[in-house]
């Protein structure tokens, strides 16, 4: 080992001496070259640079590199003769290799972190893009409907369809409002059937809640007047409900009416949140006064009605108000909002198949007229419909005769004839209190409603077990 150390010391000293001599030689050579170049420069035109001057540092650098390489070779050759030195060199090389490996590993880790960060950024950008709402907008029948929601909620939606409900259908809803004291809506000012469609034109529902904004001149008019508008959604007319055979989609059920929270502005827009689509109603709310508001209840002169038949109808009278029997035959009475009023129709002797329709109408706070055909029940013997009962609305009210129809069953056909509006019937637990339901519900297969009848009553042919055909005028 001592010999190796002495050899290394000798080589190091030799290297220093050789380096000094080499540096001196290079310095002298450089000075001679510089003098030669200066002499040559005097002979060259002004502005030109000697070629040797550009490369004068290259020989010195090359000589230094060569000397270093020779030194490393001599040390390596000497180490081969001594195992201990070889081990030391191997340890040094091993340490250096480990350091290099660690640096490479650290570099790879840094690259992996950068790659993961880049993937996370891309995922966040993709998520942000997916969070951008999809928007569908359609203008039809004087109303603009704008639906917006996430891509997931509106997946599969290709378009939106909007159609206005008929006046007859709106009237049926208003009648249902009047029958249920839990519904504070009265006059329907607008009603639309809103449907989401896929590429095949099939009705579908959103997968989650979406925002719906409805804009129309009608809504703007009432909003500007400061009216309280209630938005109701008929859940019995959704895609799922229509496909459910156990649900009677033709008859309005107030239990299926969902009151939606709304946001409105002066531009005639009302915004709601929905998770299914079908019929949407916009109605004015009744101004509640806890039954303390006194209004006038008037019975119109039914004998002057175009539907009156003296051979059929004996009398029409208001018989009860707020559960109290009143003197029949008066033309007007005092009643409070919420009082139940009972109107009784009496038919001539022998008339068992007549059905008079009595309508309650009143003027709302906004000046609109609300009309409602009062529901009826059959006589105790089931021969004819005569009794009407409904709560008193918030406003002066008039009772009028608005239709007179007749029923007849022949074999398996129920025929409704006459003119004007049919009455609606009271029903409970699949039992309809009409003059023909209990006897003929299992026999009738066909129902025909004749010309001249302007409205089909609620539960006219509900729960007919073998009904296969309904004919309307």
């Amino acid at each position: 080992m001592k010999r190796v150390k002495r050899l290394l010391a000798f080589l190091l000293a030799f290297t220093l001496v050789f380096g000094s001599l080499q540096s001196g030689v290079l310095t002298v050579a450089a000075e001679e070259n510089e003098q030669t170049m200066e002499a040559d420069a005097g002979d060259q035109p002004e502005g030109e640079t000697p070629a040797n001057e550009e490369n004068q540092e290259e020989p010195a650098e090359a000589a230094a590199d060569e000397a270093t390489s020779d030194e490393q070779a001599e040390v390596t050759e000497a180490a081969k003769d001594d195992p201990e030195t070889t081990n030391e060199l191997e340890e040094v090389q091993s340490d250096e290799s480990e350091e290099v490996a660690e640096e490479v590993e650290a570099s790879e880790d840094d690259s992996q972190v950068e790659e993961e960060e880049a993937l996370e950024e891309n995922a966040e950008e993709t998520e942000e893009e997916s969070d951008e709402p999809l928007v569908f907008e359609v203008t039809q029948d004087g109303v603009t409907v704008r639906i917006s929601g996430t891509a997931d909620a509106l997946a599969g939606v290709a378009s939106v369809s909007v159609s206005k409900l008929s006046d007859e259908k709106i009237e049926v809803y208003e009648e249902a409002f009047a029958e249920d004291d839990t519904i504070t809506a009265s006059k329907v000012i607008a009603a639309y059937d809103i449907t989401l469609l896929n590429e095949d034109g099939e009705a579908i529902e959103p997968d989650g809640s979406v925002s719906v904004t409805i804009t129309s001149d009608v809504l703007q008019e009432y909003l500007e007047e400061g009216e309280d508008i209630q938005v109701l959604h008929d859940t019995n007319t959704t895609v799922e409900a229509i496909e459910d055979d156990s649900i009677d989609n033709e008859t309005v059920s107030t239990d299926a009416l969902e009151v939606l929270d709304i946001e409105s502005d002066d531009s005639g827009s009302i915004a709601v949140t929905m998770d299914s689509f079908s019929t949407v109603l916009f109605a004015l709310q009744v101004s509640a006064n806890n039954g303390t508001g006194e209004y006038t209840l008037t019975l119109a002169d039914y004998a002057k009605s175009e539907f009156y038949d003296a051979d059929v109808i004996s009398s029409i009278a208001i018989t009860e108000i707020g559960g109290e029997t009143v003197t029949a035959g008066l033309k007007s009475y005092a009643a409070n909002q919420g009082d139940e009023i009972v109107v009784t129709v009496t038919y001539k002797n022998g008339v068992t198949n007549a059905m008079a329709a009595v309508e309650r109408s009143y003027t709302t706070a906004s000046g609109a007229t609300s009309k409602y055909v009062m529901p009826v029940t059959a006589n105790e013997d089931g021969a004819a419909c005569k009794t009407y009962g409904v709560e008193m609305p918030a406003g002066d009210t008039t009772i009028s005769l608005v239709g007179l129809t007749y029923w007849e069953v022949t074999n398996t056909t129920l025929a409704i004839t006459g003119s004007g509006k049919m009455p609606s019937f009271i029903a409970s637990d699949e039992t309809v209190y009409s003059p023909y339901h209990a006897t003929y519900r299992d026999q009738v297969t066909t129902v025909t409603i004749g010309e001249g009848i302007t409205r089909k009553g609620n539960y006219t042919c509900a729960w007919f077990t073998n009904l296969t055909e309904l004919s309307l005028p």
Side-chain angles (χ1 to χ4, degrees), residues 86 252 407:
T86 302
V252 173
W407 65 272

Side-chain angles (χ1 to χ4, degrees), residues 254-265:
T254 55
D255 291 337
L257 295 177
E258 175 188 13
V259 180
L260 303 178
D261 294 330
I262 69 171
E263 294 181 4
S264 60
D265 57 37

Side-chain angles (χ1 to χ4, degrees), residues 213-469:
T213 302
I214 302 98
T215 306
S216 76
D217 293 339
V218 173
L219 295 179
Q220 182 176 4
E221 178 182 349
Y222 284 96
L223 288 171
E224 289 177 349
E225 292 178 358
E227 293 283 359
D228 290 331
I229 296 178
Q230 191 175 62
V231 180
L232 301 104
H233 174 217
D234 188 352
T235 59
N236 268 1
T237 59
T238 63
V239 174
E240 182 179 353
I242 291 174
E243 293 175 351
D244 189 343
D245 294 335
S246 66
I247 297 177
D248 181 8
N249 310 112
E250 296 298 324
T251 303
V252 173
S253 171
T254 55
D255 291 337
L257 295 177
E258 175 188 13
V259 180
L260 303 178
D261 294 330
I262 69 171
E263 294 181 4
S264 60
D265 57 37
D266 295 336
S267 66
S269 295
I270 289 179
V272 295
T273 299
M274 301 177 65
D275 56 13
S276 62
F277 284 83
S278 54
T279 299
V280 180
L281 307 165
F282 299 86
L284 299 179
Q285 295 194 70
V286 175
S287 299
N289 56 17
N290 300 319
T292 59
E294 187 173 287
Y295 302 98
T296 300
L297 175 61
T298 302
L299 176 65
D301 189 351
Y302 56 86
K304 294 182 178 179
S305 169
E306 62 178 298
F307 306 106
Y308 175 71
D309 187 339
D311 294 331
V312 176
I313 297 176
S314 176
S315 65
I316 300 175
I318 297 172
T319 55
E320 291 184 20
I321 298 177
E324 300 291 333
T325 301
V326 297
T327 302
L330 300 180
K331 293 299 181 181
S332 63
Y333 301 85
N336 293 321
Q337 177 190 346
D339 285 347
E340 183 180 50
I341 56 177
V342 175
V343 178
T344 300
V345 178
T346 304
Y347 299 95
K348 295 285 187 177
N349 290 334
V351 176
T352 60
N353 65 337
M355 301 181 294
V358 175
E359 184 175 77
R360 181 196 71 178
S361 63
Y362 71 101
T363 302
T364 66
S366 64
T369 300
S370 177
K371 296 180 179 181
Y372 168 57
V373 175
M374 298 171 66
V376 304
T377 60
N379 285 341
E380 292 181 0
D381 59 4
C385 302
K386 70 168 189 175
T387 304
Y388 302 73
V390 70
E391 290 184 350
M392 182 71 183
D396 292 341
T397 302
T398 301
I399 304 296
S400 306
L401 176 66
V402 294
L404 183 59
T405 54
Y406 306 87
W407 65 272
E408 182 179 8
V409 175
T410 304
N411 296 324
T412 59
T413 300
L414 169 63
I416 307 294
T417 58
S419 60
K421 298 179 180 181
M422 285 185 62
S424 290
F425 302 108
I426 295 174
S428 175
D429 297 329
E430 298 191 8
T431 298
V432 179
Y433 297 97
S434 69
Y436 50 77
H437 186 270
T439 304
Y440 299 105
R441 61 175 293 178
D442 297 327
Q443 175 180 329
V444 170
T445 60
T446 302
V447 175
T448 63
I449 297 178
E451 295 291 337
I453 298 177
T454 58
R455 174 192 179 276
K456 180 181 78 68
N458 292 346
Y459 303 108
T460 295
C461 49
W463 298 299
F464 275 30
T465 56
N466 295 306
L467 183 65
T468 59
E469 182 179 354

Side-chain angles (χ1 to χ4, degrees), residues 26-169:
L26 292 174
T27 302
V28 173
E31 290 176 354
E32 290 178 356
N33 287 337
E34 184 178 355
Q35 291 173 1
T36 304
M37 290 168 59
E38 288 176 356
D40 292 341
D43 298 334
Q44 291 182 358
E46 185 176 352
E48 293 186 5
T49 302
N52 292 338
E53 190 173 299
E54 297 178 356
N55 301 320
Q56 62 182 348
E57 295 181 358
E58 293 181 1
E61 295 176 356
D65 292 340
E66 184 178 354
T68 303
S69 178
D70 291 343
E71 292 172 10
Q72 293 175 346
E74 290 175 1
V75 172
T76 302
E77 187 67 25
K80 289 181 180 179
D81 298 333
D82 193 332
E84 293 183 6
T85 305
T86 302
N87 291 336
E88 291 177 2
L89 290 174
E90 288 177 351
E91 290 177 2
V92 171
Q93 291 173 351
S94 176
D95 292 341
E96 293 176 350
S97 298
E98 289 178 0
E99 291 178 0
V100 171
E102 290 175 358
E103 291 177 0
V104 171
E105 185 178 355
S107 177
E108 290 177 351
D109 290 342
D110 291 341
S111 299
Q112 185 176 359
V113 171
E114 292 177 358
E115 183 177 353
E116 290 176 354
E117 290 177 351
L119 290 174
E120 289 178 0
E121 290 179 1
N122 291 336
E124 290 176 358
E125 291 177 359
T126 302
E127 186 176 353
E128 289 177 359
E129 290 177 359
S130 64
D131 288 341
E132 292 183 3
L134 294 179
V135 177
F136 294 89
E137 185 172 307
V138 61
T139 299
Q140 194 170 329
D141 288 336
V143 63
T144 297
V145 176
R146 185 179 187 272
I147 298 174
S148 63
T150 64
D152 291 337
L154 292 173
V157 178
S159 61
V160 177
S161 171
V162 179
S163 60
K164 185 178 179 181
L165 262 64
S166 66
D167 292 339
E168 290 76 15
K169 188 65 175 179

